Amino acid sequence: MERPYIFMQRALLTFKAAGLHPPLSGFAEEDFWLRLWVERYGALEPQLFNCCVKRLAGERYFPRLHDMDAAVLDEQKKRQQARRRTQERQADCPEPDLFDLANSQRRVREIIEHLQNRLLPVYK
């Protein structure tokens, strides 16, 4: 992730805005916390990190490191499962087009004629 300190500061602001009070007593502890989170989660994709932050912002207490680890692991599993499902769907359907246009047009015409004959009054 580019500029990880900015992402971590935004995460801290998100937690504060959600009403989660950080157990940090001053600037030195906040700086230590930021450096620790940058070392630990700075290599993550920004979207993955933001999903985890939003998830943890809904919790009751300020997230600890093992809470963030669990959220990251869970989100990575979800993404891997989604990728695998997408690949399976693509493998199951090798033909790009399973739709027969001529047959569908013929069938639509038959349905329209049937409905016209059934619904229109016959005047002879």
Side-chain angles (χ1 to χ4, degrees):
M1 129 177 26
E2 294 179 24
R3 303 177 301 169
Y5 277 98
I6 293 175
F7 279 95
M8 302 304 161
Q9 288 172 341
R10 287 182 184 165
L12 183 61
L13 290 175
T14 302
F15 294 143
K16 286 180 181 178
L20 305 176
H21 301 289
L24 311 172
S25 62
F27 180 75
E29 283 189 31
E30 186 173 322
D31 188 44
F32 172 76
W33 181 83
L34 286 174
R35 278 189 278 117
L36 180 65
W37 276 52
V38 165
E39 289 173 10
R40 200 157 180 162
Y41 307 112
L44 292 177
E45 298 174 2
Q47 296 85 4
L48 176 70
F49 183 76
N50 286 336
C51 287
C52 295
V53 167
K54 288 178 183 178
R55 178 178 168 191
L56 292 175
E59 295 292 325
R60 208 171 157 183
Y61 299 105
F62 193 81
R64 297 170 296 231
L65 291 176
H66 68 85
D67 295 333
M68 187 64 173
D69 290 339
V72 167
L73 189 65
D74 189 41
E75 191 65 31
Q76 286 175 340
K77 284 181 183 179
K78 285 181 185 177
R79 289 179 182 219
Q80 286 176 349
Q81 189 176 27
R83 261 188 248 118
R84 188 175 62 239
R85 285 182 181 165
T86 303
Q87 290 172 353
E88 288 174 358
R89 271 191 239 118
Q90 289 174 350
D92 289 344
C93 183
E95 298 177 16
D97 189 18
L98 300 175
F99 182 71
D100 185 13
L101 183 63
N103 191 26
S104 293
Q105 288 176 344
R106 180 189 57 78
R107 182 69 182 136
V108 168
R109 270 186 267 127
E110 288 176 1
I111 292 171
I112 290 172
E113 289 172 5
H114 172 72
L115 290 174
Q116 283 177 343
N117 292 337
R118 185 172 161 219
L119 299 176
L120 291 178
V122 179
Y123 296 106
K124 292 184 180 180

